[in-house]
Amino acid sequence: MPDFDLYRPSEEHDMLRDTVRSLAEAKIAPYAAAVDEEARFPQEALDALVSSDLHAVHVPETYGGAGADALATVIVIEEVARVCASSSLIPAVNKLGSLPVILSGGEDLKKKYLGPLAKGDAMFSYCLSEPDAGSDAAGMKTKAVRDGDHYILNGVKRWITNAGVSEYYTVMAVTDPEKRSKGISAFVVERSDEGVSFGAPEKKLGIKGSPTREVYLDNVRIPADRMIGAEGTGFATAMKTLDHTRITIAAQALGIAQGALDYAKGYVQERKQFGKPIADFQGVQFMLADMAMKLEAARQLTYAAAAKSERVDGDLTFFGAAAKCYASDAAMEITTDAVQLLGGYGYTRDYPVERMMRDAKITQIYEGTNQVQRIVMARNLP
């Protein structure tokens, strides 16, 4: 029988949740609507998270980080996403971008890049997708050619979260075209490297405060010691990374859904029709019950997956995909129902649930579409 205590938040986790929730409500929530409306980076959120050492809690203590476990990282992302999904991509993508270095990088590379990340001096992004390599990431065309003690990178990466803001980028590139996925290597590229540039921010449905841009690599010459792990291991590192970080997308979905449910609960108690609060009507009660049930089921699955991430269990791949898929589907359903419960008001930008509904949609798409998650699960049935 599994040890279910390992899935349950400890007292320290509960204290962390209280801390992050207070910070999020005081210093992030007040700017969430403006960040969305103006499609601007949530600098207030970054400043608040860095000042409280919550921007990259996953970095090990050895490199100056908080050394938080996988569940603690989930809780941070969940609580920030509850008030602003765009802001939750700061801790989430810092983990996504830097985890390849943590999992496969040499000691010198870890010291060089994890220290500034832990201090809040830099953010980390992840460059896997390309214009013609989305779900088929192994079909990427970005190349890295060895030239003495350097590699020269050329290519385009698309859908890169926080591109242009992050200082560091984990970039997957082909070093041996004959070997397909086994000919892909991982590198750390810096924003200041000559030949690195960025496209215009994408005009998106949601998470408008988190810039998504193309990253252009034009004869970018970097030292060979910036390779993460051995040549040809980059794709394996990328997939191993996603096993862990899909859980952070599940966490984001949980937070968005919780924020929508919380707002809808308050609204139906105040909104009166036919002489009484609409919360008294059974039709409304059933909707709220279903929303809460789906959310709690998603949370339990996500926390179980976080425990497996921490232990690196053999069935992590299945649970990571399942948590991301189930939680994001639930978030889309819950936020849609929240809009419905607010009626016409829910359809306006004067109320936050329409933003939450728009933000929820991306959780079904990035870090692998939910159709791809179902393929992953089918191939890794426990």
Side-chain angles (χ1 to χ4, degrees), residues 357-376:
M357 178 180 170
R358 288 186 286 106
D359 289 342
K361 184 60 197 173
I362 191 61
T363 64
Q364 294 180 304
I365 298 172
Y366 58 13
E367 290 206 32
T369 66
N370 282 4
Q371 287 69 35
V372 166
Q373 303 309 320
R374 287 173 168 88
I375 293 172
V376 171

Side-chain angles (χ1 to χ4, degrees), residues 62-78:
T62 308
Y63 310 103
D69 61 30
L71 180 54
T73 305
V74 160
I75 289 170
V76 170
I77 295 165
E78 180 184 354

Side-chain angles (χ1 to χ4, degrees), residues 153-232:
L153 277 64
N154 281 282
V156 179
K157 293 296 181 177
R158 181 170 283 178
W159 311 123
I160 308 307
T161 305
N162 292 340
V165 179
S166 293
E167 184 64 38
Y168 305 143
Y169 299 81
T170 290
V171 175
M172 307 298 165
V174 177
T175 45
D176 188 341
E178 301 298 317
K179 295 183 179 179
R180 194 165 161 78
S181 66
K182 292 185 179 178
I184 293 171
S185 303
F187 302 86
V188 177
V189 172
E190 299 180 9
R191 181 176 59 184
S192 57
D193 287 334
E194 187 174 353
V196 175
S197 60
F198 306 95
E202 301 288 350
K203 297 176 181 178
K204 299 173 298 186
L205 175 71
I207 58 164
K208 294 182 178 181
S210 177
T212 304
R213 300 180 180 182
E214 287 188 327
V215 177
Y216 304 124
L217 305 165
D218 183 13
N219 288 321
V220 178
R221 185 181 182 86
I222 63 172
D225 61 12
R226 287 218 223 138
M227 179 180 281
I228 303 170
E231 187 170 301

Side-chain angles (χ1 to χ4, degrees), residues 2-22:
D3 185 350
F4 283 99
D5 285 344
L6 292 175
Y7 300 166
R8 189 177 64 213
S10 65
E11 184 177 344
E12 288 77 13
H13 288 119
D14 292 338
M15 290 172 61
L16 174 64
R17 183 186 301 281
D18 291 342
T19 297
V20 182
R21 180 167 294 193
S22 295

Side-chain angles (χ1 to χ4, degrees), residues 56-96:
V57 294
H58 68 285
V59 177
E61 292 179 358
T62 308
Y63 310 103
D69 61 30
L71 180 54
T73 305
V74 160
I75 289 170
V76 170
I77 295 165
E78 180 184 354
E79 289 300 322
V80 176
R82 179 174 166 268
V83 302
C84 180
S86 293
S87 298
S88 72
L89 283 161
I90 294 170
V93 176
N94 275 339
K95 180 168 183 176
L96 174 63

